[in-house]
């Protein structure tokens, strides 16, 4: 994407209609890494062609995997029988922190993993201490240089792992390392996000023995080997959230037949408290939102699943800017995830920040402005605000948008919005619709 690309959003009529969902980014990234636990060809379907997924594919290639990505069909084939390396360079790690999720599988496969330190990002320091100290409990020794981590384990051994915080990444990394570690590994206070569940499902399909018990306990019995799989990635609850909020902020009505409502309870509860009508399909599959014309303010704090997802905090805040009354949003998962506030203020939002709390006084109108996306979910918040704002909004920093979403701009446009990815201010040339120009069918051969 050209450096000076931006997204132009116009004030839009009601966002309305029905839409399919793409696979969940935060499920497919870890599932691709988990394929390192197998030797052979796996096939994943419903795979989004977002930039983070392309980055994870690149990581697999640098380790020696053979990759075929049919982006238009969202089908990914990866052959890991040719994987011979365990080194993840800074070029990959700096671009995407989720690369750390290769550590567990590489340790299980080779007893070795050399990875560049991921470093922080806009939303927080993002340390990996929970990963490292618990790998040490499984017999891993670390040699840490300025910017590299060299992990070695003659033999991984099982253990009872207690997480002081239900970290998604640490839970996933330990599960993957434990699947091929003889004996019983138990994770206490584990993360149980739907994406973690999806990973466990895929590992079970590979032949892993994993049980989940209350409260938040995952028990892994190591097996000798795991085999390749064919698997469909779960629909993205964060894309679903974005589309429902687009209808909410424009007074429209959207149906998402594939959405897994049972994994979005607290978020949907808050939308109902605002006055929006939410209709859930049979067995909790399928969501329709019919927006109220008089949305009310609501308050919430983010929390690990099943609490209110931090990844929907900023998009929800955009909608609350136009709700009647005062909303209080408290971000408890990441220490610096309110950067979108100053961009929403540029659009006329009345928001005060006190530590990790945002106090939002609803306003009648927002106004188009030039705004900057600071992270993936902030980019979504600004696009949503642009749909409701008077006039035009120009959003830069769109590498965040393309990292987390594939084709969401087109979906919003198909539902009646005006969201365009443009090359640069000067010639405002349209340059999107990946399927026509970019990643139609990508055959990526091994390096
Ligand atoms: C995953 O990140 C997601 N990323 C994030 O989505 C999501 O926001 C987050 O989980 C919480 O739901 C992927 O799945 C690729 P954590 P992760 O470990 O695993 C602290 C998006 O927009 N912590 O649960 O990195 C950490 O700093 C992204 O798609 C430690 O202190 O999240 C944070 O404050 C953003 N030490 C908190 O725990 C550790 O070793 C939660 O982090 C690990 C984490």
């Amino acid at each position: 994407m050209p450096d000076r690309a931006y997204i132009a959003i116009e004030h839009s009529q009601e966002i309305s209609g029905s839409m399919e969902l793409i696979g969940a980014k935060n499920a497919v990234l870890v599932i691709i890494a988990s394929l390192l636990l197998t030797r052979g060809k796996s096939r994943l379907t419903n795979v989004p062609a977002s930039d983070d997924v392309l980055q994870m594919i690149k990581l697999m290639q640098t380790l020696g995997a053979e990759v075929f990505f049919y982006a238009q069909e969202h089908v990914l084939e990866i052959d890991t029988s040719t994987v011979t390396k365990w080194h993840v360079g800074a070029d990959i790690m700096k671009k995407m922190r989720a690369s750390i999720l290769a550590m567990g599988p590489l340790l299980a496969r080779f007893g070795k993993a050399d990875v560049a330190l991921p470093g922080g990002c806009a939303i927080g320091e993002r340390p990996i201490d929970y990963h490292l100290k618990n790998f040490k409990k499984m017999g891993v020794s670390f040699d840490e240089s300025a910017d590299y981590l060299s992990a070695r384990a003659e033999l991984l051994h099982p253990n009872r792992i207690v997480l002081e915080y239900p970290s998604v990444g640490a839970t996933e990394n330990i599960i993957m390392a434990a699947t091929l570690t003889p004996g019983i590994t138990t994770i206490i206070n584990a993360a149980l996000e739907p994406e973690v569940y999806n990973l466990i499902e895929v590992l079970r399909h590979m032949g892993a023995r994993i049980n989940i018990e209350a409260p938040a306990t995952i028990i892994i019995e190591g097996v000798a080997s795991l085999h390749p799989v064919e698997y469909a990635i779960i629909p993205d609850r964060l894309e679903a959230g974005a589309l429902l909020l687009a209808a909410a902020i424009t007074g429209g009505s959207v149906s998402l037949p594939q959405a897994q409502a049972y994994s979005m309870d607290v978020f949907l509860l808050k939308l109902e408290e605002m006055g929006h009508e939410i209709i859930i399909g049979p067995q909790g599959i399928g969501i329709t939102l019919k927006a109220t014309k008089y949305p009310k303010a609501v308050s919430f704090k983010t929390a690990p699943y099943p609490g209110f997802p931090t990844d929907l905090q900023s998009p929800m805040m955009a909608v609350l800017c136009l709700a009647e009354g005062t909303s209080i949003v408290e971000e408890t998962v990441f220490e610096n995830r309110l950067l979108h506030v100053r961009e929403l203020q540029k659009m006329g939002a009345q928001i005060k920040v006190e530590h990790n709390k945002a106090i939002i006084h609803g306003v009648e109108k927002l106004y188009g402005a030039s705004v900057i996306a600071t992270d993936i979910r902030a980019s979504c918040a600004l696009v949503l605000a642009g749909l409701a704002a008077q006039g035009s909004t120009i959003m830069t920093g769109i590498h965040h948008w393309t990292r987390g979403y594939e084709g969401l701009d087109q979906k919003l446009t198909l539902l009646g919005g005006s969201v365009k990815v443009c090359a640069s201010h000067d010639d405002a040339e349209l340059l999107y619709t990946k399927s026509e120009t970019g990643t139609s069918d990508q055959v990526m051969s091994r390096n």
Side-chain angles (χ1 to χ4, degrees), residues 25-26 126-130 167-169 311 333-334 337 377:
K25 168 186 80 80
N26 291 346
R126 316 277 307 259
I128 54 170
D129 52 328
Y130 303 156
S167 152
V168 171
D311 296 338
V333 178
F334 290 104
R337 202 173 205 180
R377 310 306 166 182

Side-chain angles (χ1 to χ4, degrees), residues 25-27 29 97-98 101 123-132 165-170 172 191 193 195 237-238 304 310-311 332-335 337 375-377:
K25 168 186 80 80
N26 291 346
L29 292 180
R97 297 174 38 71
L101 296 169
I123 65 177
E125 279 305 306
R126 316 277 307 259
I128 54 170
D129 52 328
Y130 303 156
H131 301 241
L132 305 187
Y165 183 92
S167 152
V168 171
E172 293 170 336
E193 269 64 7
E195 296 76 23
R237 63 188 168 122
L238 306 173
T310 174
D311 296 338
T332 73
V333 178
F334 290 104
E335 70 274 19
R337 202 173 205 180
D375 69 84
I376 295 173
R377 310 306 166 182

Side-chain angles (χ1 to χ4, degrees), residues 214-283:
T217 302
I218 299 177
I219 300 151
I220 307 109
E221 183 184 349
V223 295
S225 68
L226 295 172
H227 54 75
V229 287
E230 274 219 25
Y231 198 83
I233 305 297
I234 53 170
D236 194 339
R237 63 188 168 122
L238 306 173
E239 184 190 46
L243 290 165
L244 294 172
L245 290 168
I249 203 168
T250 58
S253 169
V254 155
S255 288
L256 307 173
Q258 302 145 313
Q260 300 180 331
Y262 55 76
S263 69
M264 303 176 76
D265 287 317
V266 176
F267 170 69
L268 296 174
L269 174 73
K270 289 295 160 185
L271 286 173
E272 277 181 328
E273 284 178 5
M274 288 185 75
H276 299 297
E277 185 188 351
I278 301 287
I279 304 154
I280 306 292
Q283 280 85 46

Side-chain angles (χ1 to χ4, degrees), residues 416-439:
S418 171
V419 183
K420 291 187 181 64
V421 177
C422 305
S424 69
H425 276 292
D426 307 340
D427 52 24
E429 175 201 336
L430 277 180
L431 62 49
Y432 76 109
T433 58
K434 281 189 178 171
S435 54
E436 283 150 17
T437 56
T439 56

